[in-house]
């Protein structure tokens, strides 16, 4: 009886500890979300790496994104993507092509405008390690998709304890692929051109670009 009682107490204490860790993680993420939503605009310069040892894939590049509400300007791999609130315009100078399409409404797709807020829904949270990175205290929170059919196994979100800004995202797929995004620069409320999120189709037509409409 004593052994059974001790097991029950251990299970209960473990459950309470897990619930407390989950609550702590959610509280921190709520603080990050509220901070992000309070800004008029955000500019993020980041490093992107993709690794899959089994497939012998190991790539690294950089990109940047400017966001204002749902609108964004995304520069990555030599291409540019603009979302003006209605349509997505993807410009690929290497191919001299522009693709124009309606906004994707797939909740499982992390678009640039969701980059700093995607964690708000669809995940279970757990308190993870605290690291000191170049004098900055980075608290990691582990996110596990609620959808068991998700191709994502887990996401580690590293948050700067002082600024409440996201510093690092480490996504591990069920296929063994690990994607890491590290923020090099995070700027807020910058003066933006009124035409930053405006796409001038005539400009690209005059430059000989092929326009694709989906």
């Amino acid at each position: 009886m004593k052994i059974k009682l001790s097991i029950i107490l251990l299970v209960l204490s473990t459950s309470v500890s897990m619930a407390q860790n989950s609550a702590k993680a959610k509280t921190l993420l709520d603080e990050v979300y509220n901070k992000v939503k309070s800004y008029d605009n955000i500019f993020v310069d980041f490093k992107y790496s993709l690794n899959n040892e089994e497939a012998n894939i190991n790539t690294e590049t950089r990109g940047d994104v400017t966001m204002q509400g749902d609108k964004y300007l995304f520069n990555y791999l030599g291409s540019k993507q603009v979302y003006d609130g209605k349509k997505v315009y993807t410009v690929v100078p290497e191919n001299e092509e522009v693709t124009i399409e309606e906004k994707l409404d797939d909740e499982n797709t992390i678009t640039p405008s969701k980059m700093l807020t995607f964690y708000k829904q669809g995940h279970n949270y757990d308190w993870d390690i605290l690291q000191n990175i170049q004098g900055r205290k980075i608290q990691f929170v582990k996110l596990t998709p609620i959808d068991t059919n998700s191709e994502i196994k887990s996401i580690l979100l590293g948050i700067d304890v002082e600024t409440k800004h996201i510093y690092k995202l480490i996504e591990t797929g069920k296929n063994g692929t690990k994607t890491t995004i590290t923020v090099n620069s995070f700027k807020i409320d910058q003066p933006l051109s009124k035409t930053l999120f405006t796409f001038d189709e005539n400009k690209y037509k005059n430059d000989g670009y092929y326009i694709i409409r989906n």
Side-chain angles (χ1 to χ4, degrees):
M1 180 66 70
K2 289 182 178 179
I3 295 177
K4 288 184 178 180
L5 180 60
S6 64
I7 292 174
I8 292 172
L9 290 174
L10 177 61
V11 170
L12 288 174
S13 63
T14 301
S15 298
V16 170
S17 177
M18 290 176 63
Q20 289 174 339
N21 283 340
S22 178
K24 272 202 309 183
K26 185 179 185 306
T27 298
L28 178 59
L29 291 175
D30 284 343
E31 289 181 30
V32 175
Y33 180 82
N34 291 332
K35 195 92 179 272
V36 167
K37 299 302 285 186
S38 71
Y39 300 135
D40 177 66
N41 62 72
I42 298 171
F43 170 82
V44 178
D45 179 276
F46 60 88
K47 180 175 72 174
Y48 174 94
S49 65
L50 182 70
N51 178 267
N52 187 311
E53 293 183 3
E54 187 175 335
N56 196 29
I57 297 173
N58 191 8
T59 62
E60 186 175 297
T61 186
R62 64 157 299 279
D64 64 71
V65 59
T66 302
M67 297 170 279
Q68 186 174 48
D70 287 336
K71 298 178 182 180
Y72 62 78
L73 170 62
F74 182 43
N75 295 296
Y76 179 67
L77 291 175
S79 300
K80 177 173 75 172
Q81 190 173 85
V82 179
Y83 176 54
D84 62 5
K86 295 180 180 179
K87 294 183 182 294
V88 178
Y89 306 87
T90 304
V91 182
V92 185
E94 185 178 357
N95 300 333
E96 293 190 337
E97 287 183 352
V98 175
T99 302
I100 303 175
E101 53 194 335
E102 298 294 329
K103 178 188 176 184
L104 294 173
D105 290 323
D106 185 357
E107 292 183 359
N108 296 318
T109 302
I110 300 178
T111 62
S113 55
K114 294 181 184 176
M115 186 181 289
L116 301 176
T117 58
F118 74 93
Y119 52 81
K120 188 67 176 173
Q121 295 178 328
H123 300 88
N124 292 317
Y125 311 122
D126 193 24
W127 198 253
D128 211 270
I129 63 172
L130 175 68
Q131 287 188 338
N132 189 312
I133 301 177
Q134 298 178 341
R136 299 167 65 184
K137 290 184 178 180
I138 306 298
Q139 175 64 56
F140 283 86
V141 171
K142 186 176 183 179
L143 283 66
T144 307
I146 294 173
D147 181 3
T148 56
N149 293 320
S150 173
E151 296 180 359
I152 299 171
K153 182 180 178 182
S154 65
I155 297 173
L156 280 172
L157 207 56
I159 298 161
D160 188 310
V161 173
E162 183 178 351
T163 64
K164 299 298 188 297
H165 292 164
I166 295 173
Y167 167 72
K168 181 172 285 190
L169 181 152
I170 305 171
E171 177 187 291
T172 303
K174 290 180 179 177
N175 63 354
T177 299
K178 181 177 286 188
T179 303
T180 303
I181 297 175
T182 305
V183 174
N184 295 322
S185 176
F186 190 104
K187 299 178 182 179
I188 62 168
D189 299 341
Q190 300 291 294
L192 302 180
S193 166
K194 292 182 179 180
T195 60
L196 184 66
F197 306 109
T198 301
F199 179 77
D200 186 352
E201 184 174 337
N202 289 328
K203 173 184 178 299
Y204 289 96
K205 281 184 176 179
N206 293 338
D207 288 342
Y209 276 64
Y210 181 62
I211 309 295
I212 304 169
R213 298 181 186 276
N214 290 337

